[in-house]
Structures are given as C-alpha cells and as structure tokens.
Amino acid sequence: MEDIGEPIVNVSSRYSTVDYNNQRVMGLNNIELITDRPLHVNLREIAEVKKRYPKHALIASLMVESKRESWHEIVRAAEGAGADASSLNFGCPHGMSERGMGSAVGQVPDYACQITSWVKEVAKTPVIVKLTPNITDICYPARAAKRAGRTRFRD
C-alpha cells in the first residue's frame, strides 16, 4: 500500500532494485512509498474498491505536508471517496522530512499532537495514528496524539 497525498515528483533516485533468481535488477521498487500518481486517481480507486466490496473496511493511509488545510482537504477527500478510516502516516522514515512529513512528525510529540488535532477537526470516521519506531521512547508522541482527540492508545 502506498500513502496518498500530493504526488511526489522524484528528482533523485528513490528506487531500489529487485533481484530474483540470482539475476540482478529484475525490476525496480519505489521505496518512497508515497504515490507518484495524481490524487484524483487514488481517490477514484478508493471509490471503485469500496463500490465492489462495500462490506469490507477500507483504510486510507495519508501523508501530506504539515499544513492544516492540506490535512483537512485530504481527510475530506478520502472520506468522500468511501474510506472507512484514515491512517495518519507519522512513521515513514523517508517521508519527505524537509516537508514536515512521515517520521519528521512522529519524532516530535508537538507535531503529532497538532496534526492529529487538525485531522480530528474534520474527520467523521475513525483516525489511526501510525507512529515511527525511529525514536527513543514512542510513548511521548503516542500520548501527544492521544491528547489531540479520541484516538485510543494503551499507556
């Protein structure tokens, strides 16, 4: 699964090789793990999957810049397309930290709290906060995210 958000235009290689059966470079794998396709394509696919499988839970993994309006827009769009919940990606180690995304958020409790609160302002479906393991004590950002809304964690 890739994260949806504003498409990332790769200006440097973020690909790794896939080797198979002792053959080098059988294929390439995008290790960015955030979409490089337009948002409307991802939203259309969410709607199509939900239409085909209406009784199955569909969780949209989201990662956008640390701007309130960006988070409001992506949550509303994902829910409008049929997502049953949103997973906020605060864990991706190569999540464009220069844009305040991924583990750059999960490593700073104040950021995790702020963005989770922005999402909770507009979310009508459950919100899951996906934290980074790349921190000394994950309890700090977990508690911060919990303070931001009804997100439940065990202390």
Side-chain angles (χ1 to χ4, degrees):
M1 170 181 230
E2 65 187 10
D3 293 296
I4 62 172
E6 298 173 20
I8 300 299
V9 177
N10 291 317
V11 294
S12 62
S13 177
R14 293 185 182 194
Y15 293 91
S16 66
T17 62
V18 177
D19 301 335
Y20 177 74
N21 201 21
N22 296 323
Q23 295 180 347
R24 292 187 41 87
V25 192
M26 184 275 297
L28 296 174
N29 182 36
N30 179 351
I31 60 171
E32 183 64 47
L33 299 180
I34 188 166
T35 190
D36 57 359
R37 299 176 304 142
L39 179 59
H40 71 89
V41 172
N42 288 293
L43 295 173
R44 184 181 69 227
E45 290 174 354
I46 288 172
E48 184 178 317
V49 168
K50 196 61 186 176
K51 184 177 178 182
R52 287 185 186 184
Y53 305 98
K55 295 182 180 180
H56 292 73
L58 193 153
I59 301 170
S61 182
L62 308 174
M63 187 166 63
V64 294
E65 291 187 71
S66 295
K67 296 179 182 175
R68 184 181 194 176
E69 53 280 347
S70 296
W71 281 101
H72 282 189
E73 288 173 16
I74 195 75
V75 169
R76 287 180 176 132
E79 288 180 344
D84 297 301
S86 295
S87 174
L88 314 184
N89 186 345
F90 298 166
C92 188
H94 41 272
M96 307 293 286
S97 60
E98 69 276 9
R99 293 167 80 176
M101 296 165 57
S103 64
V105 173
Q107 292 172 340
V108 181
D110 288 343
Y111 295 168
C113 182
Q114 182 65 70
I115 293 172
T116 304
S117 71
W118 293 340
V119 169
K120 296 297 289 180
E121 289 171 353
V122 299
K124 295 178 178 151
T125 60
V127 175
I128 300 165
V129 178
K130 184 170 37 176
L131 296 171
T132 181
N134 297 330
I135 190 168
T136 304
D137 189 343
I138 201 167
C139 293
Y140 294 110
R143 288 184 184 118
K146 182 179 179 182
R147 277 194 310 272
R150 296 175 305 214
T151 308
R152 299 183 199 270
F153 294 93
R154 286 184 81 183
D155 288 342

